[in-house]
Every structure is written in structure tokens, then in C-alpha cells.
Amino acid sequence: LKKPLGPPPPSYTCFHCRKPGCYIKNCPTKGDKNFESVPRIKKSTGIPRSFMVEVNDPNTKGAMLTNSGKYAIPIINAEAYARGKKEKPPFLPEEPSSSSSSPGDPIPDELLCLICKDLLTDAAVIPCCGNSYCDECIRTALLESEAHTCPLCHQTEISPDALIANKFLRQV
């Protein structure tokens, strides 16, 4: 069991009322609904002064107390607060860029996997017939077949380690 704590040391200040003489657990203002807690100000220890910008108002978002007793915020934060947050609404379709193809353009057959019929991801060439598949699709197909058979030319005993990365299709 914890021993009851005596009065706090003279250097201790309560984190609720910001006054010495009480712990936060036993603070007389703890249950008072009219009491507004003073916001806790962080100290700027560890941040070089050259990275800080002085502010006059301690209520400025992100304000910290410096060793000299003045308030400052990091330069990066000041720039970010000035720009504000820009968010895209989650349910609007993405704006098509000028370089991308329109949704009506079909994907060339060379870029489609022969197993999953989707766009090639991490294209790999199988050495027996030279066809390209998604790396994951062809490895799974080889491992699931009993004799490690190629899905197109049906050659057996093809090791997944023999697959070759198709660097050209991966770039495309």
C-alpha cells in the first residue's frame, strides 16, 4: 500500500491550479466547475534559439517559455500555422492529372498479368516461356502446383528462385 504523502515540498507547484501547497490529487479546485485551469506552458529546452521565433502572446498555439522568460514558437511551426491545413474531402474523386491516361483508355495487354488479369505489380519473367506475371502471382502459382508447373506452357520443375525481375515492365 502507498503511504499517505505529506505536504508537498516548497518547490512543487500543483499541475491543476499552478500554485504551491497542494498535489493535483488533493487540489481544492479539482471539483470546482467554475475554475478554469491555466494552460500548461512547455519549456523550450533542447531547441536552439536560432530555430525559435519570439511571440508576444503566451496563448499563441505552440508557444513555449524560453530561458530568458519570453515566449517563442519553433520557426517550422510558425510557417505551418501560417499556411494552415489543407485537406481534400475524402469522398470526392481524385482530379486527373494531365500526364495520366483517362479512365476510358484500356490498359495494354502486355501490362496485364496472365494470372490475376490485373496491372502487373513487380513484374517477373518465367524462364521457360518468357511470359511476364506479377511476382506474387507466379510464385504462388508455382508453389501451389505439385510439380512446380508453369501456368501457360505447363513445363514442370520450375523453381520460384529461377524467376527474373522484368525491369522494363516494372518501370513502365
Side-chain angles (χ1 to χ4, degrees), residues 19-81:
K19 295 178 184 168
C22 64
Y23 287 113
I24 190 169
K25 200 182 257 186
N26 306 330
C27 185
T29 61
K30 188 78 172 183
D32 189 3
K33 296 195 188 263
N34 297 329
F35 179 76
E36 286 188 31
S37 176
V38 179
R40 188 171 180 191
I41 301 291
K42 292 181 179 180
K43 293 183 180 174
S44 66
T45 55
I47 303 174
R49 278 186 238 142
S50 61
F51 291 2
M52 303 291 280
V53 175
E54 277 192 29
V55 291
N56 297 328
D57 186 17
N59 296 326
T60 304
K61 192 172 183 180
M64 293 185 234
L65 188 63
T66 61
N67 288 346
S68 61
K70 296 179 180 177
Y71 293 97
I73 58 174
I75 292 173
I76 295 172
N77 290 7
E79 292 169 2
Y81 293 141

Side-chain angles (χ1 to χ4, degrees), residues 2 8 14 26 68 70 76 80 86 94 104 128 130 140 163:
K2 289 186 176 180
C14 174
N26 306 330
S68 61
K70 296 179 180 177
I76 295 172
K86 294 179 184 172
E94 289 186 23
C128 58
T140 305
L163 297 174

Side-chain angles (χ1 to χ4, degrees), residues 151-163:
L152 201 68
C153 71
H154 305 293
Q155 184 175 335
T156 57
E157 299 301 322
I158 298 171
S159 170
D161 294 333
L163 297 174

Side-chain angles (χ1 to χ4, degrees), residues 137-148:
C137 291
I138 190 62
R139 284 183 193 277
T140 305
L142 288 173
L143 293 173
E144 285 179 353
S145 66
E146 299 249 342
H148 300 294

